[in-house]
Amino acid sequence: MFRYVNQKEGVQLIRKTDQKVVRQNAHGGKGHIEVYQILSPEELLNRATLYARVVLPPGAGIGGHPHAGESESYYILSGTGVFLDGDGQKKPVGSGIICNIIPGESHGLENTGDVPLEMIALVVPQ
């Protein structure tokens, strides 16, 4: 995927966004996840530490972990899974669902479907 650039409007980059980072057992979760950075923290003027498309293969997950001093939002693009909220409750998630984790809360996510779960993740410091 290529980003369109119009320098007259202040947009300053063209970049293919298919570079992936594979993380094994993310935060103690099962299997591996794939992280495709959309914009770097520098490109976001250091107002966010992560803006990425994240793919969880079937059965993979992100283990429960806290967010101290930052918030995180997931926007589920496709697939199905279970979101573990800060109270330890498991909530079903799927396409179109937004999971918003406020500073100080914990969360986790697991793909319970037969196809990859894809989402956009945004982490913003307080």
Side-chain angles (χ1 to χ4, degrees):
M1 169 186 320
F2 285 93
R3 182 175 313 287
Y4 174 73
V5 173
N6 181 339
Q7 290 186 342
K8 290 182 181 179
E9 294 179 13
V11 179
Q12 300 176 4
L13 59 114
I14 297 176
R15 179 161 45 97
K16 193 169 184 180
T17 59
D18 63 354
Q19 298 173 346
K20 79 176 169 183
V21 173
V22 176
R23 293 186 56 201
Q24 295 289 336
N25 308 107
H27 297 287
K30 299 179 202 171
H32 76 276
I33 65 170
E34 301 167 2
V35 179
Y36 300 84
Q37 185 179 61
I38 296 170
L39 291 173
S40 71
E42 294 78 24
E43 292 164 336
L44 293 163
L45 306 176
N46 294 311
R47 294 192 176 137
T49 57
L50 177 72
Y51 180 38
R53 180 172 64 94
V54 180
V55 179
L56 286 71
I62 300 169
H65 62 282
H67 277 270
E70 62 187 16
S71 65
E72 182 169 19
S73 297
Y74 292 161
Y75 176 67
I76 310 296
L77 299 170
S78 62
T80 57
V82 173
F83 179 81
L84 178 66
D85 70 16
D87 295 327
Q89 296 183 23
K90 294 182 177 183
K91 313 261 173 135
V93 295
S95 179
I97 298 293
I98 297 171
C99 306
N100 192 44
I101 303 95
I102 61 173
E105 291 292 321
S106 297
H107 72 100
L109 181 66
E110 183 177 352
N111 180 349
T112 57
D114 296 329
V115 299
L117 185 153
E118 294 192 35
M119 65 179 177
I120 300 294
L122 176 65
V123 177
V124 178
Q126 265 183 312

